[in-house]
Every structure is written in C-alpha cells, then in structure tokens.
Amino acid sequence: MNRPEILAPAGDPEKLRMAVIYGADAVYLAGREFGMRAFAGNFSDHELREGLIFARAHGAKVYVTVNIIAGNDDIRRLPAYLSFLQEAGADGLIIADPGVFVLARKYAPEVPCHLSTQANTTNWQSALFWQEAGFKRIVLARELSLPEIAEIRAHTDLELEVFVHGAMCWAYSGRCYLSHYLEGRSANRGRCAQACRRSYYLVEEKHPGEYMPVFTDERGTYIMNARDLCLLDYLPGLVETGVNSFKIEGRMKSAHYVATVTKVYRRALDACLLDPAGFRPDPAWHNELRKISHRPYTSGFIAGNPGTEGQVYHTTAQESSHEFIGIVQSWQDGRAVVEMRNRFVEGEQVEIFGPATDPRPLTVRDLRNPEGDPIPAAIRVQEHVSFAIHFPVEPFSLLRRPR
Ligand code: SF4
C-alpha cells in the first residue's frame, strides 16, 4: 500500500525538533536566504547542519527550500550555497526557478530536486515536462481536485506532494504581486505582507477621502481573505491516488502549531493506513486543530472549486481556542522545568500534552523561579520556571490554556 510521508514545516531549529519528535517523516526549511519565508527564523549554515544531524538521528528527512524567483545577483551567489547544501547532506532541494534548477544540477548534482508549488503545476502534461527536465518530485498546486490529482498520478512516475493543511493564497502561489505593489514586499522573494487579508474599500478619483464599502455579500468586505486548508477528512482518497507526501504549511507559525498539526496528521494517517475503508476522523483530532491559530477551515479545491465558500468575508483575524504558554524542558521527582512562552500564574488551570500523550488538564502548583523561590506568576519569556506535576511528563511536552 502507498505510504505517504508527513512533511512538516521547520521555521527554525526548535520547530524542526518539534516536527520530528511529534511524528514528521520529513521537514522542510530554508537557510537565511533564497527561501520563501524571509520572516521565519530560518537556519544559519551551522543550524542547518545541526538540524540535519537531529533529523537523521530520528529517521527523518530534510528538504531545503531554494524557491525564490531568482534575480541575476542571486544567480551569482547561489553556487556556493548549493554546494554547501550537498556537502551538508540535504535530502532534497525545493526549487521554482529554471535558472536555480540548472545551478542545482551543476553544484548539487547528488541532491534530488523537488519542483516548488510556486511553479503552479496543475496538469499531467506539465508534470511530464518537469519529469523530463530532471525533477524527482513535484509539489502540486493547491488548486486541484482529487480526480485531477489522480489523473496526474496516472500519467507520471514522479513523486507527488500535496498540501493537506495550512494557509492558502488568494492567488495561485507565486502569481501574486499585491504585496509588492502595496508594500514593496515581494511574495516571490519570501517577503509577503499578506495584503490580501485586509479590508478594502472603493474610492472614486473625483471624491478623494470618500471610502465606499465593497460588499461581496451582506457579510462584509474581506474579499480576498482565503480560509485555511484542512484535508483531514480526505486522507483515504489522497492515499488512494498514490501521492507520496502530505505537506503541512506554516513555517511562520509557532512550535505549538507545528507539534499539534504534525501529531494530528501522524495519528490520522496511521489510522487511515491501518484501515482505509473503516477510516473515520476522530472528533478529537478536529478539536485539536481548533486549539491552534487558524482561520476558519475549508477543504479547498479537493472536492471542486470552493467559490465564495473558500473565503472569510467578515474578519481578517485568526482564531484559536487555546493559548500556548510553555515548553517542558525536563521532569524529575514530581517537578517540571518549563520554558515560559506566555504569562501564566500559580493556581491556573492549564493543559499539557506530549508526542505520545493525549491532552490532560493540570493545575499550576508551587510555581518557582530559576533560583527556586516561590513566585505568583511566570512573566519573563524564555525564563525557565518550575512547578509540581505529580505524573511523569514526556520530554518535549507543551503547555497551553483555554482562552
Ligand atoms: S498577498 Fe495574499 S495572495 Fe498574495 S502572495 Fe501574499 S498571501 Fe498570497
């Protein structure tokens, strides 16, 4: 049976560790340049080597995004970076630009090339073109239905990767100039300002200052604000098409997001592979996906063009039922050391979960600072505080609280 990988985002070294520990078969990340998320922490050369060692030790692969639309200056600087990526042992290079692909073949010939979703592959003839060019894998466009993906699969031996979760573009990925036009920040250089998420008005040139609301319907004016993708319910169909990789979007999201989404899709896919015919998404998985920061979910194009149902018209805000507050660093003799991420207080009701542990409620008791003195609240981000937890806690467990 086809066993697709779970491919998770690694926006920085901590998120890489979370992704791998919470069940990813592979992660994707960028160095400090040439990737499509310039505002994620990303990886220095040293961090990239360390990340590869960590992933290898846990049996996971690392794909590196080099998927900007390159300018001449990039072409001059890329050879050294590509040689470094091969020498460091990257498992794949995610590329959108033919010029970058030519350089990758020359300076990193042993590393397989994956065609980025920025190339917008939406038909099997394009897939064959890229296969003949020498790509090993294609990250398909998000704007495809299940039958369309199956038809592409039927015509090519290439590995196919599909997005199953995360933010969607209002435009085809990489075909958007809105952010560059309005803010001078090019989405094609990894610097998208999410200009599509805003509320827009109409102004007639002879009446400056008179902002006329634009109503798509009675709900409001966020006319380009796409919902977030969630294909949990469609895993059996996707497995059956024979795609090789299920990709989770979100290199800019938190370690909590990466851990939660990776764990949910890991469990769901394992259940699906065990019994595809009997697969029913566990309501608890959907509940977990409501705890992380997200826009209202959609199944995107998988069951056909979503039309207006693919947009959120009334708000640009993201929602989440829970707030991430800390990462457990260690647990010994009934006390946990926690790296604080958001303020929490003595006596507060929180929730803890780990890579193999289901969410469990907990009261913060006997909170102490790093010197061991009792404190009423943890208030300094990244400070290591401790409190009593009377059951064993897994390494890499996370804490959150209901909003
Ligand atoms: S502005 Fe919106 S549509 Fe354009 S690239 Fe950014 S997220 Fe996508």
Side-chain angles (χ1 to χ4, degrees):
M1 183 194 225
N2 174 41
R3 294 189 73 84
E5 68 184 8
I6 297 289
L7 174 56
D12 63 26
E14 178 181 79
K15 294 171 196 172
L16 179 146
R17 290 192 290 277
M18 287 297 161
V20 169
I21 294 293
Y22 277 80
D25 300 296
V27 297
Y28 62 102
L29 55 82
R32 291 273 152 82
E33 294 183 278
F34 310 119
M36 284 300 284
R37 287 289 179 268
F39 299 111
N42 295 327
F43 288 69
S44 66
D45 290 357
H46 173 71
E47 288 169 338
L48 207 146
R49 283 186 200 280
E50 298 275 298
L52 275 156
I53 291 168
F54 185 87
R56 288 267 184 288
H58 292 82
K61 292 182 175 170
V62 175
Y63 309 137
V64 182
T65 62
V66 196
N67 57 348
I68 55 163
I69 303 304
N72 290 330
D73 187 47
D74 300 313
I75 295 300
R76 278 188 283 280
R77 293 182 297 119
L78 269 162
Y81 182 59
L82 292 165
S83 299
F84 160 72
L85 292 177
Q86 172 162 303
E87 182 261 317
D91 295 292
L93 302 177
I94 304 173
I95 291 171
D97 184 295
V100 177
F101 174 62
V102 169
L103 292 179
R105 293 297 75 214
K106 189 167 174 190
Y107 293 99
E110 290 163 24
V111 189
C113 288
H114 300 183
L115 184 70
S116 171
T117 195
Q118 307 297 122
N120 313 120
T121 306
T122 52
N123 65 74
W124 58 264
Q125 196 63 63
S126 293
L128 286 179
F129 172 85
W130 294 116
Q131 182 173 349
E132 280 164 30
F135 280 89
K136 184 185 179 202
R137 174 184 293 197
I138 292 182
V139 188
L140 291 173
R142 291 171 174 89
E143 296 80 11
L144 289 170
S145 68
L146 209 51
E148 288 169 326
I149 294 170
E151 195 174 350
I152 293 172
R153 168 78 294 162
H155 283 86
T156 169
D157 303 326
L158 278 165
E159 292 180 9
L160 298 177
E161 184 177 306
V162 293
F163 279 91
V164 292
H165 196 92
M168 305 256 286
C169 254
W170 163 73
Y172 276 96
S173 301
R175 298 287 165 99
C176 173
Y177 216 59
L178 201 59
S179 174
H180 185 94
Y181 180 72
L182 293 175
E183 300 247 344
R185 284 172 45 175
S186 172
N188 294 313
R189 308 283 302 177
R191 302 170 69 82
C192 172
Q194 305 251 318
C196 60
R197 309 288 179 194
R198 298 183 195 146
S199 179
Y200 287 94
Y201 290 83
L202 197 63
V203 180
E204 199 273 320
E205 66 175 342
K206 300 244 168 48
H207 297 85
E210 285 184 27
Y211 297 101
M212 289 178 275
V214 182
F215 290 111
T216 300
D217 61 23
E218 71 283 356
R219 286 173 293 184
T221 59
Y222 295 88
I223 51 177
M224 295 179 280
N225 184 25
R227 287 172 181 257
D228 281 1
L229 184 68
C230 175
L231 295 186
L232 205 52
D233 298 348
Y234 290 84
L235 293 192
L238 283 165
V239 170
E240 202 183 325
T241 60
V243 297
N244 308 88
S245 179
F246 289 169
K247 186 173 209 161
I248 297 163
E249 186 276 345
R251 276 185 289 146
M252 303 277 285
K253 297 284 181 71
S254 70
H256 173 228
Y257 170 97
V258 173
T260 304
V261 182
T262 303
K263 183 177 171 181
V264 165
Y265 277 87
R266 172 82 278 152
R267 287 199 168 178
L269 179 58
D270 289 349
C272 178
L273 292 174
L274 217 55
D275 180 14
F279 177 80
R280 299 282 176 276
D282 186 333
W285 299 336
H286 283 293
N287 196 32
E288 281 295 290
L289 295 178
R290 283 191 283 274
K291 292 178 182 177
I292 51 161
S293 171
H294 67 283
R295 297 178 189 87
Y297 288 122
T298 173
S299 56
F301 290 74
I302 206 74
N305 191 326
T308 55
E309 293 305 313
Q311 313 288 325
V312 190
Y313 293 108
H314 60 284
T315 178
T316 191
Q318 298 198 45
E319 53 196 66
S320 60
S321 67
H322 284 62
E323 186 179 26
F324 174 37
I325 57 173
I327 301 179
V328 175
Q329 302 296 307
S330 61
W331 178 89
Q332 201 176 4
D333 300 332
R335 285 194 77 78
V337 175
V338 174
E339 185 174 298
M340 181 272 202
R341 292 302 166 90
N342 269 303
R343 186 179 190 276
F344 58 93
V345 301
E346 173 78 24
E348 188 170 353
Q349 290 291 322
V350 299
E351 183 175 278
I352 189 166
F353 72 102
T357 327
D358 287 335
R360 179 171 177 172
L362 174 71
T363 305
V364 177
R365 293 264 184 247
D366 194 18
L367 184 60
R368 292 175 183 260
N369 66 15
E371 290 73 42
D373 304 320
I375 49 173
I379 53 171
R380 288 195 190 83
V381 175
Q382 294 195 320
E383 187 170 62
H384 287 195
V385 298
S386 71
F387 61 89
I389 302 181
H390 296 300
F391 50 84
V393 174
E394 279 184 285
F396 296 98
S397 289
L398 300 182
L399 288 156
R400 58 192 174 200
R401 67 162 153 252
R403 286 188 187 276

